[in-house]
Amino acid sequence: MKKLQTLLIILVSLTLIACGKGQEINGHNTRTAYRSVKAIKNRLPDDKRIEFEVSFWTIRDAQKGDDEFLDAVDGKNPDEIIALGKEIYQQRKAAGFKDYAQYSSWDEMISKFSQERIDQERHNIKENSPKDKSNDLLYKL
């Protein structure tokens, strides 16, 4: 009976430890990193989600090698990823990175991406498409 209690305590402890890393990126390999980013992204509020996504992909773009990239993101939570993304943005902006020339600040870039996302969602709302009309069954009585 004592062994069963010990085993149960160990299993509960391991479960709690595993659940505690739910807001951190698993940088074991690129597949697990992308999977954990997707899970984290889906739990974030909308206003923080885009900033997190942009930061993550900014880091990915800055770190060309997989090992360097995984070392940079492994174990980081969303706030740390956003801070690292902002840092890379500032470095690139100061270095004259041409893609950032159109933005005066990080916040302006994020707000532009947020507006683009809103526009995409509005555009993707299904309207009556020809496919829907061909599958529509209306009986004339």
Side-chain angles (χ1 to χ4, degrees):
M1 186 71 176
K2 196 148 185 121
K3 288 182 183 181
L4 182 62
Q5 289 176 342
T6 306
L7 181 62
L8 185 60
I9 290 172
I10 290 172
L11 287 175
V12 169
S13 299
L14 288 174
T15 303
L16 291 174
I17 290 170
C19 291
K21 300 226 178 223
Q23 285 289 60
E24 294 179 358
I25 295 176
N26 178 356
H28 182 69
N29 59 45
T30 54
R31 185 175 179 191
T32 58
Y34 294 151
R35 189 179 306 150
S36 59
V37 164
K38 184 178 180 181
I40 292 169
K41 177 183 75 166
N42 290 334
R43 289 186 220 127
L44 290 174
D46 289 339
D47 58 328
K48 201 171 182 181
R49 182 178 298 166
I50 292 176
E51 191 171 15
F52 174 73
E53 287 181 72
V54 170
S55 298
F56 179 79
W57 291 109
T58 299
I59 296 166
R60 181 62 182 143
D61 187 56
Q63 305 290 337
K64 298 296 183 191
D66 284 345
D67 291 335
E68 297 86 18
F69 166 68
L70 293 172
D71 288 341
V73 299
D74 186 33
K76 299 252 187 323
N77 64 37
D79 293 328
E80 293 170 326
I81 293 294
I82 291 170
L84 187 55
K86 285 180 182 180
E87 182 182 320
I88 292 171
Y89 168 83
Q90 293 299 334
Q91 291 171 355
R92 287 180 161 187
K93 181 85 172 158
F97 197 71
K98 67 178 180 168
D99 291 338
Y100 295 151
Q102 59 187 330
Y103 308 111
S104 62
S105 69
W106 170 263
D107 293 328
E108 180 187 343
M109 181 175 77
I110 295 302
S111 92
K112 183 172 187 250
F113 285 138
S114 296
Q115 188 59 47
E116 286 177 5
R117 177 72 55 91
I118 290 168
D119 293 343
Q120 286 174 353
E121 288 172 358
R122 283 185 190 152
H123 182 29
N124 287 337
I125 294 175
K126 284 192 172 185
E127 297 175 5
N128 292 333
S129 69
K131 283 184 179 180
D132 292 338
K133 288 183 180 180
S134 67
N135 290 328
D136 197 16
L137 294 175
L138 292 177
Y139 297 101
K140 293 183 182 181
L141 300 174

